[in-house]
Amino acid sequence: MVSAQELLGILADGKYHSGTDLGHELGVSRAAVWKVIQKIEKELGLTVFAVKGKGYRLQQPLELLDKNKILEKLNEKTAKQLSNIEIFFEIESTNQYLNNKSLDGAPGGLIVIAEQQSKGIGRRGRGWVSPFGCNLYLSLLWRFPYGAAQLGCLSLYIAVAIVRTLHKVGIKDAGVKWPNDIYWKNKKLAGILLEMRGELSGPSAVVMGIGLNINMPSSNTETKNIDQAWIDVQTILGRAVDRNEFTAKVINELFDVLNEIPDAQNKLLEEWKDMDILKGQNIEVTFSNKTIIGEALGINKDGALLLRHNDKDIICHSGDVSIRRDESND
Ligand code: BTN
């Protein structure tokens, strides 16, 4: 039986391929090709045009993730620190997979990327909608000699790496909603999920998961499950983005920031402050079923959110933040 992955390897060019040619190339019958085409439409949510006398073609050409293309674009320092990149056609969650690998003793610098996640995990018990072949679902395992106490701002630094990438590809007004949601004009562009294990005083292993919308097709039925305003890189830039090249850029920036942590935590926090989209806005912070409304004042030296509420300054170490509707400009 031929797999969807093998068939997509041929159809990815977006051109017509006859059932007979596909069957020959893959060593199966035309009926078997047809079965896999149905699977591609049903399970991967892709549209395949079938035209008599011409054959099958994908509605849009597809750029599948390619380890060699990503490796080619990594800078020298990153390539040296990378232990491996594993690419999955489909996985439940790259974070969950890497957490298990970490427990089995996998080395730091290991990256896992997937074309699709069936149970993508978001922050605060939410899921992460992860349709096939269009976005970035990436997890990186990093081992630190220190523990959670010294890594309190890590998720903010990772957000800096993602926003740096976006600025470099031309999305100058991408910013961060505390602590680490990546936004563009009040629409979510990327999310970060950090999972840390180890002793409080160190060492520790951190799995950093990044979900970044590159080319999310609004026609994909899965997008109906997203409960907040969202946007993707291609829509903002108004042009196609090379997913492998973009992935390499994200990896380079992640490694750069991780290398800066030992000497430049203050600098990274200052950089985060320049990316802060909440400062000065009227916001709501919800934690343990309680909601406080106030003005966002920025962050303190521990990366906690400062909120002015009834002339009192409140320090929020956790919470779900949203910009008050009447104040937002979307
Ligand atoms: C958020 O809720 O904002 C964080 C979303 C993080 C999603 C990414 S996608 C890659 C990695 N694997 C997961 O299951 N989750 C993270």
Side-chain angles (χ1 to χ4, degrees), residues 1-2 21-29 32:
M1 179 65 179
V2 62
D21 287 352
L22 289 169
H24 275 312
E25 221 167 310
L26 297 165
V28 292
S29 66

Side-chain angles (χ1 to χ4, degrees), residues 37-306:
I37 295 277
Q38 284 176 306
K39 191 174 161 194
I40 287 172
E41 291 206 287
K42 239 189 169 164
E43 292 175 21
L44 305 183
L46 300 175
T47 304
V48 184
F49 294 135
V51 174
K52 225 177 173 181
K54 282 184 161 183
Y56 304 107
R57 83 164 172 86
L58 287 176
Q59 185 181 28
Q60 284 176 357
L62 195 66
E63 194 208 352
L64 293 169
L65 294 166
D66 182 321
K67 184 171 167 177
N68 288 330
K69 287 187 183 163
I70 297 172
L71 289 175
E72 259 169 37
K73 300 280 178 188
L74 294 182
N75 62 41
E76 219 175 295
K77 196 170 177 191
T78 302
K80 268 193 193 143
Q81 288 181 303
L82 181 84
S83 75
N84 196 10
I85 298 182
E86 291 184 31
I87 297 181
F88 284 82
F89 193 69
E90 199 198 345
I91 199 168
E92 284 196 354
S93 153
T94 54
N95 258 43
Q96 184 203 60
Y97 172 82
L98 206 45
N99 269 317
N100 290 336
K101 293 279 280 194
S102 166
L103 288 172
D104 288 345
L110 175 59
I111 286 185
V112 178
I113 316 172
E115 293 285 8
Q116 179 183 35
Q117 295 184 118
S118 54
K119 287 189 187 151
I121 310 166
R123 286 174 54 233
R124 311 185 77 76
R126 297 186 180 110
W128 187 257
V129 172
S130 311
F132 180 85
C134 49
N135 297 323
L136 177 64
Y137 318 117
L138 177 149
S139 298
L140 163 64
L141 171 65
W142 202 261
R143 295 191 179 275
F144 292 92
Y146 5 89
Q150 279 151 289
L151 292 171
C153 294
L154 181 61
S155 77
L156 279 70
Y157 305 150
I158 299 305
V160 167
I162 303 304
V163 176
R164 275 187 192 172
T165 315
L166 294 166
H167 286 177
K168 283 191 184 163
V169 298
I171 305 182
K172 300 288 177 209
D173 38 5
V176 192
K177 177 169 88 74
W178 184 86
N180 59 12
D181 281 338
I182 313 299
Y183 269 70
W184 181 82
K185 296 192 195 259
N186 290 332
K187 293 187 172 125
K188 189 154 168 173
L189 186 50
I192 296 167
L193 175 71
L194 255 54
E195 295 181 273
M196 195 176 293
R197 280 206 177 83
E199 302 297 318
L200 208 64
S201 54
S204 49
V206 186
V207 170
M208 307 165 200
I210 290 129
L212 198 154
N213 301 334
I214 298 181
N215 181 24
M216 180 95 96
S218 44
S219 58
N220 191 300
T221 47
E222 285 188 63
T223 59
K224 292 188 180 65
N225 300 327
I226 307 178
D227 59 0
Q228 54 191 325
W230 58 269
I231 190 82
D232 60 30
V233 172
Q234 289 203 175
T235 305
I236 299 170
L237 292 177
R239 63 172 168 84
V241 169
D242 182 319
R243 220 155 45 104
N244 288 303
E245 198 179 325
F246 188 88
T247 301
K249 285 191 165 104
V250 169
I251 297 172
N252 281 329
E253 296 297 337
L254 283 172
F255 278 59
D256 278 358
V257 159
L258 289 164
N259 285 315
E260 288 167 36
I261 288 176
D263 302 319
Q265 298 215 22
N266 283 341
K267 207 178 128 255
L268 287 168
L269 270 193
E270 288 309 310
E271 205 173 330
W272 189 97
K273 288 177 189 170
D274 287 339
M275 299 169 173
D276 183 0
I277 62 160
L278 293 181
K279 195 170 178 187
Q281 300 235 48
N282 206 15
I283 61 167
E284 284 183 6
V285 186
T286 306
F287 45 92
S288 356
N289 292 332
K290 195 173 154 190
T291 298
I292 302 185
I293 297 169
E295 184 195 343
L297 301 177
I299 53 169
N300 69 8
K301 62 172 183 22
D302 303 319
L305 175 71
L306 302 173

